[in-house]
């Protein structure tokens, strides 16, 4: 019954005998707990977030629903392994275009051990994180008859100009083409009262206030479905979700200025596209 | 006629035969151009900012007025030296309380040379910059009959708890006392339609949009005058200014997410004090 998710664009993947997440095809996503601190941290986050009374329902809907943990046969054949049981964020989407945006100009946290700090810092400087306040961790863009899904190596080499272009290509038809992105779905996906921009602005308002959690190395995941789309219209509201909480820290009364800054930068990119879909600003 | 400014709380000081800024006592501030890239960068910033048509007048008022450069006898006796001619931000204040807040969780810019990058990074991690998104670079708090002005070494050792307390002590009477800050001037200085919070929110709105400049290692300077104050009321509007532009870079179409994040963090601290002057949150 369980199988690797078809639309996962970043993170460890349950293919070729490795440990990775599984889906049951009826709405649940099973993420193996990482065996080091990261697994414990992520479980700890989901547990305290679930029981935190100060989170509004609207904000809660940006996070995957959490349904405890479950021992399952690991995808790498290593036997029983504890998994987080989460909502499958792509349930109900037939032809999802997905982008994973790791938010924050730095992915290391102040108390990080030296070797982890150095690894993160090097990646932040090499990728667009330091420059743009976020980086793309993975994506796929689907259209009726084609899919564009850059390899992990391609994604790692994206520079600021690439990111700018990809955020337009993400909402274009004919995504596999190298032509100038047409942004045919920009207003349907990014715009409108329920579009990506509106959802990101809601998140931003929360991050301006909330001092409960600091989200290091977490991602904003955007997904929308072109299934049944016509004339640049999409049948369903685009989904904006926060994912990857292995490095969430207690906010200790301080806002998450690192996440907030990166989120504002992403918001500016998206509004630029809505203001002028043909314009490449950087 | 020219003399070292009385209320400078951070940066190079023209005392003990060193090179530092001078004031003329009638509204002008002369800042020696640093001889390396920093001097050229700062002059370059003031020149392009002055002639930039896309800056609204309200935003311009947050920056020191720029009146070109002038060759002056350097304060270190080394002969004629080029100085930036700027508005004296404390002109007209008799008893100013001043705080210099260096904004941004990092003070290095992506293209920084390796040694400068390392120096900045070490300071950012050691100070509160990485944790809070800003750090205090210097301050003085004046009252009718006392002045509290921590030494450079004390300032450098401020931790997150200290910063939280100092932002309250900054608007307290009896500032030299070690007692719990009374925040007597909190609503007069931080609050109101023209107070510090309102001004910071104006700046924030600009930083959410502007992609012209990235301000690394720049400071928000806050000054207010207790001269003539009574019953927690101040005679003049508190001044909020941006200063120190030796490391301003071209924004290249990207918002300054590093400055914006730190600014939002500072804003949250200030609003916490206004919401509950007795509460120390961290």
């Amino acid at each position: 019954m369980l199988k690797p998710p078809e639309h996962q664009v970043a993170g460890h993947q349950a293919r070729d005998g490795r440990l990775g997440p599984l889906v049951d095809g009826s709405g649940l996503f099973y993420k193996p707990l990482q065996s080091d601190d990261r697994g414990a941290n992520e479980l700890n986050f989901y547990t305290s977030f679930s029981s935190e009374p100060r989170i509004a329902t609207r904000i809660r809907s940006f996070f995957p629903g959490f349904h405890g943990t479950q021992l399952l046969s690991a995808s790498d054949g290593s036997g029983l392994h504890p998994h987080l049981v989460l909502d499958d964020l792509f349930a109900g989407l037939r032809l999802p275009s997905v982008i994973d945006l790791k938010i924050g100009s730095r992915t290391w946290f102040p108390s990080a051990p030296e070797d982890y700090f150095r690894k993160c810092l090097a990646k932040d400087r090499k990728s667009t994180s330091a420059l743009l306040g976020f980086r793309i961790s993975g994506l796929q863009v689907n259209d009726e008859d084609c899919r564009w899904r850059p390899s992990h190596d391609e994604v790692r080499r994206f520079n600021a100009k690439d990111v700018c272009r990809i955020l337009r290509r993400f909402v274009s038809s004919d995504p596999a083409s190298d032509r100038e992105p047409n942004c045919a779905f920009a207003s349907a996906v990014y715009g409108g009262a329920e579009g990506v921009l509106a959802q990101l602005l809601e998140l931003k308002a929360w991050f301006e206030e909330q001092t409960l959690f600091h989200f290091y190395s977490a991602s904003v995941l955007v997904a929308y479905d072109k299934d049944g789309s016509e004339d640049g219209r999409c049948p369903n509201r685009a989904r904006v979700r926060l994912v990857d909480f292995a490095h969430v820290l207690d906010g200790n009364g301080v806002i998450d200025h690192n996440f907030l800054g990166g989120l504002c930068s992403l918001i500016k990119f998206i509004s630029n596209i809505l203001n002028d879909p043909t314009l490449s600003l950087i």
Side-chain angles (χ1 to χ4, degrees), chain A residues 150-220:
Chain A
S151 73
H152 185 60
D153 270 354
E154 285 174 90
V155 167
R156 228 174 28 195
R157 283 194 301 268
F158 287 160
N159 62 23
K161 226 182 164 88
D162 295 331
V163 168
C164 191
R165 188 184 165 89
I166 285 164
L167 289 171
R168 294 160 63 230
R169 200 161 163 184
F170 182 64
V171 290
S172 293
S173 56
D174 200 7
S177 145
D178 272 337
R179 273 175 303 186
E180 200 54 27
N182 59 24
C183 294
F185 296 90
S187 61
V189 175
Y190 289 157
E194 300 217 303
V196 170
L197 180 62
Q199 294 183 62
L200 292 177
L201 289 170
E202 257 189 277
L203 269 179
K204 170 179 173 248
W206 184 61
F207 272 95
E208 284 171 349
E209 288 299 324
Q210 75 89 12
T211 60
L212 299 167
F213 305 108
H214 284 191
F215 295 88
Y216 289 99
S217 270
S219 287
V220 161

Side-chain angles (χ1 to χ4, degrees), chain A residues 40-93:
Chain A
N41 283 345
E42 186 150 33
L43 174 55
N44 184 41
F45 168 74
Y46 274 110
T47 310
S48 63
F49 184 84
S50 303
S51 60
E52 172 56 60
R54 287 168 287 182
I55 312 281
T57 311
R58 289 288 300 178
I59 295 303
R60 225 171 258 289
S61 70
F62 288 112
F63 290 78
F66 171 60
H67 312 283
T69 58
Q70 201 169 312
L71 278 175
L72 292 176
S73 284
S75 61
D76 62 355
S78 64
L80 285 178
H81 190 98
H83 287 64
L84 295 164
V85 187
L86 304 169
D87 284 343
D88 179 358
L89 302 180
F90 307 125
L93 305 182

Side-chain angles (χ1 to χ4, degrees), chain A residues 8-38:
Chain A
Q8 187 190 348
V9 297
H12 305 277
Q13 308 214 349
R15 297 184 191 278
D16 314 319
R18 278 177 298 181
L19 186 62
L22 300 165
V23 290
D24 67 355
S26 63
L28 291 179
F29 179 89
Y30 300 87
K31 181 175 181 178
L33 273 183
Q34 291 169 280
S35 52
D36 53 16
D37 279 357
R38 291 175 294 174

Side-chain angles (χ1 to χ4, degrees), chain A residues 235-262:
Chain A
N236 299 305
R237 166 184 162 134
R239 299 180 186 178
V240 172
R241 297 289 184 276
L242 264 65
V243 296
D244 294 341
F245 308 120
H247 303 287
V248 175
L249 268 76
D250 193 325
N252 280 320
V254 179
I255 66 162
D256 188 349
H257 46 87
N258 178 60
F259 193 100
L260 177 58

